Structures are given as structure tokens and as C-alpha cells.
Amino acid sequence: SYCSFCQAVDHLDLSTACFAIDTWQGDEHAGAYGPEVFAELTRYHDARYGTFSSLVRSTFADALTMFADGGIDLLHVDGAHGYDAVRRDVETWLPKLSPRGVLLLHDIAEHRPGFGVHRVWDELTRLYPHFSFTHSHGLGVLAVGPEQSSAVRWLTAGDRTAAEVAAIRQHV
């Protein structure tokens, strides 16, 4: 999923810096990864996106000090999927988001044992304007910063009919 973000940045010729933070060792849900996964990703990534993107081989907790508070516009959380881990990631990284900050949570529609993202999502939707995409385990979009773009305000407007929500989801 990270490379799709990079592809959009490249295609739209955006002036931005992107960072992927992961150990690339896998987890209980994805299984364990060997070093070849990171090596293959690095070859693919660096040739295409290396001028504006960095792969940071680290835990989320250890990488936290690399980023200033208020400096991140878009944060995609897709690490460990248990409730406590997701809650901790969100709480520790929220101060890093800018006034335009948007938080994406992956797996909000996943309810299998061991997945708590949906519970964190439910809590956060009480606090922030939001929109949910329900395909591929779900992706939640939260407008956490007070200075959102018109496009983000439009997407996260809460006054839509079920038909309008379905039409937006269909275009993804």
C-alpha cells in the first residue's frame, strides 16, 4: 500500500517527503518475513521513489523521535492490529500530525480474533470527521487537524445519504 502512496505523489508531481516505517519482519497476522522481502521492496522503491521517499527499518516507537510534532500531514497506521497496539500507535503519533493532518487506519472492517482496529476506529469517529471505505478489510479516513482542505472536508462530511456513501465507495 505504501508504494501506491508514492505512485500518487510521483504521478501528481507533489513536493513532499514520504516515509515508510516498518521492521519488514512480519507479524502475527501477516506471518514472518525473511530479509528478501525488504531487499526486493528496496530495489523496487529506490529506483522509482528514492528521490522523495525513505524506507525506515524501525519500530513505530523507535521512529517517533525522527519526526517533529505538527510536521506530518498524512499518517497511515497499519502495524500491529491488536487493540492496545493500535491505540498506542495512534496516541503516540497524533501529536506528530499537522493542522491539516489526516489519519488513515487500515483494517477497520476486520473483526477476526486479535484485530482491534475496529474498536479504535469506533472511538475516534466520535471525535473527528471521518469516512470509511469498507473493501479490503476497510480503510478509515479521519480529519484530525482543524485546517482541512476542501476535498478532505467534502469526503468527511457526515450528512450523506446511504446512496451517496455507496456511490463514493464504488468509485474506489
Side-chain angles (χ1 to χ4, degrees):
S1 62
Y2 179 72
C3 287
S4 65
F5 289 111
C6 291
Q7 180 62 37
V9 167
D10 185 53
H11 179 75
L12 297 171
D13 197 27
L14 301 175
S15 176
T16 190
C18 298
F19 300 88
I21 302 165
D22 201 324
T23 62
W24 284 280
Q25 296 175 348
D27 60 37
E28 66 179 290
H29 297 108
Y33 301 159
E36 68 280 356
V37 169
F38 183 69
E40 183 179 341
L41 174 62
T42 299
R43 281 190 301 278
Y44 179 87
H45 168 274
D46 290 357
R48 291 163 178 81
Y49 315 121
T51 59
F52 63 86
S53 174
S54 299
L55 302 176
V56 179
R57 199 162 192 186
S58 173
T59 65
F60 296 149
D62 289 343
L64 199 61
T65 59
M66 294 176 56
F67 300 89
D69 285 357
I72 297 174
D73 291 332
L74 178 66
L75 178 65
H76 179 209
V77 174
D78 186 19
H81 294 88
Y83 173 82
D84 291 335
V86 175
R87 187 79 207 153
R88 182 178 49 253
D89 289 343
V90 168
E91 287 175 355
T92 57
W93 283 87
L94 268 178
K96 303 298 181 182
L97 290 172
S98 76
R100 297 177 307 277
V102 174
L103 175 63
L104 304 178
L105 287 179
H106 189 243
D107 294 318
I108 63 167
E110 185 58 66
H111 289 81
R112 287 183 294 158
F115 283 79
V117 183
H118 65 279
R119 289 177 48 207
V120 175
W121 171 253
D122 290 343
E123 294 169 1
L124 293 171
T125 58
R126 295 182 199 125
L127 302 173
Y128 302 107
H130 58 277
F131 188 84
S132 62
F133 294 95
T134 53
H135 67 286
S136 299
H137 307 284
L139 180 70
V141 180
L142 292 152
V144 300
E147 300 174 13
Q148 294 299 322
S149 69
S150 59
V152 172
R153 284 194 313 273
W154 176 85
L155 178 65
T156 60
D159 58 351
R160 289 199 165 69
T161 66
E164 290 170 326
V165 169
I168 293 169
R169 289 178 177 154
Q170 185 177 9
H171 288 310
V172 176

